[in-house]
Amino acid sequence: MRSKSAVTLAGVSALALYSSMAVGSKYNLPEPQSIIAQEIYDMHIWLMWICLAIFIGVFGVMFYSILKHRKSLGYKAANFHHSTTVEIIWTVIPCLILVVMALPATKTVIAMKDTSSPDMTIKATGYQWMWGYDYLQGEGEGISFYSKLSTPRAQVENKEPKGENYLLEVDNRVVVPVGKKVRIILTANDVIHAWWVPALGIKQDAIPGFIRDTWFTADTPGIYRGQCAELCGKDHGYMPIVVEVMEAGEYTQWVAAQSGASAVKTSMRSDK
């Protein structure tokens, strides 16, 4: 009994250690920063363990059978007969495994589509090759700007060393407050683009003539980076997405600064 408890404890500890190491690995999904991203990450880890268990079980039995029942040990080829029971078992078990895997995935997909009752709404429009943003609802309503790649051309042409956020920095970031439900309405002006910020658990296509939407609630202030995830032309790799999440007070200051800048631009146009 003690040995079984020790094995179980060791297994749980190994899983926890692996999960903590995997979060910080550059080969894994980025550290989740929203509830949807956390659910996606958790499913990724658990489904991987299920697939690994199946892999070990199937190939373990196969290699054991090959090694222990080889011809050199005097074994002869088996002559199997039809068994309805066996066929039902090997059909039902995979179906049950798929159902167990599908239930949490379906729950998360449904949650990803629930864009109701947002605290603020931002329209994102894809262009070849930049993003346009319009704050439609909530604090900051009326703010509009374009967001373009700000990586120096010299770095792109290998004339200067690559920066820390090479091809992942923009001149104008999408700024949102922490802990607020942000609805993103997506469309495109020319071809299909996709708005993808993995740390926030968002990936949604932007299609010309159609309106798609998604949402996120950022748990922690910070800067989260993404890219267009649909091949959209020669500069597809040069239209990054940067979301800056601020505390409520900082966000209010940012909104005031943007509103002031917009008023100045409007005044300059009227003077002309």
Side-chain angles (χ1 to χ4, degrees):
M1 192 73 177
R2 288 182 180 177
S3 60
K4 288 184 178 180
S5 300
V7 170
T8 303
L9 180 60
V12 173
S13 300
L15 177 59
L17 177 61
Y18 170 81
S19 299
S20 62
M21 293 173 62
V23 167
S25 172
K26 67 179 181 179
Y27 301 110
N28 196 23
L29 298 176
E31 185 175 354
Q33 300 295 334
S34 71
I35 186 171
I36 294 296
Q38 186 65 57
E39 290 183 11
I40 292 172
Y41 181 85
D42 291 342
M43 281 192 295
H44 165 72
I45 296 298
W46 282 109
L47 295 185
M48 187 203 69
W49 281 110
I50 292 173
C51 292
L52 181 61
I54 295 171
F55 176 86
I56 292 173
V58 171
F59 282 90
V61 171
M62 184 181 75
F63 284 119
Y64 174 81
S65 300
I66 291 172
L67 292 173
K68 299 298 289 186
H69 301 89
R70 60 189 186 273
K71 185 177 180 180
S72 61
L73 295 180
Y75 286 93
K76 295 182 179 180
N79 185 17
F80 290 103
H81 298 282
H82 170 77
S83 172
T84 302
T85 302
V86 172
E87 290 186 1
I88 291 175
I89 290 173
W90 75 39
T91 301
V92 170
I93 290 177
C95 288
L96 292 176
I97 293 173
L98 287 175
V99 169
V100 170
M101 296 169 70
L103 287 176
T106 302
K107 178 182 176 183
T108 299
V109 170
I110 292 174
M112 291 169 67
K113 301 299 182 183
D114 181 15
T115 59
S116 62
S117 305
D119 296 304
M120 59 186 300
T121 301
I122 301 173
K123 178 184 176 184
T125 305
Y127 297 90
Q128 290 180 308
W129 289 269
M130 62 181 177
W131 292 95
Y133 296 102
D134 299 286
Y135 285 59
L136 303 180
Q137 177 246 330
E139 187 178 4
E141 182 177 344
I143 294 174
S144 297
F145 56 85
Y146 293 103
S147 181
K148 303 177 183 178
L149 177 73
S150 64
T151 297
R153 196 68 193 175
Q155 291 185 19
V156 177
E157 296 173 352
N158 294 317
K159 295 178 180 178
E160 291 181 0
K162 301 290 192 289
E164 179 183 359
N165 296 308
Y166 177 67
L167 297 184
L168 290 175
E169 190 53 274
V170 296
D171 53 359
N172 292 305
R173 299 170 178 172
V174 179
V175 179
V176 299
V178 68
K180 298 294 185 180
K181 183 173 182 177
V182 182
R183 181 188 182 204
I184 304 293
I185 295 177
L186 289 151
T187 189
N189 187 60
D190 32 53
V191 298
I192 297 177
H193 302 275
W195 208 79
W196 177 51
V197 184
L200 299 176
I202 291 179
K203 182 182 180 295
Q204 184 64 274
D205 285 350
I207 304 173
F210 290 85
I211 297 294
R212 311 291 297 280
D213 66 348
T214 185
W215 70 276
F216 68 90
T217 299
D219 299 329
T220 310
I223 297 174
Y224 308 111
R225 304 178 190 278
Q227 294 171 294
C228 174
E230 287 287 348
L231 185 60
C232 57
K234 72 179 185 67
D235 284 348
H236 160 67
Y238 301 144
M239 51 183 303
I241 301 156
V242 181
V243 177
E244 183 171 1
V245 181
M246 294 182 172
E247 295 287 0
E250 291 180 290
Y251 178 72
T252 299
Q253 294 176 8
W254 178 83
V255 169
Q258 293 295 312
S259 300
S262 178
V264 170
K265 290 180 182 177
T266 302
S267 177
M268 290 177 65
R269 289 196 190 99
S270 61
D271 289 343
K272 290 180 180 180

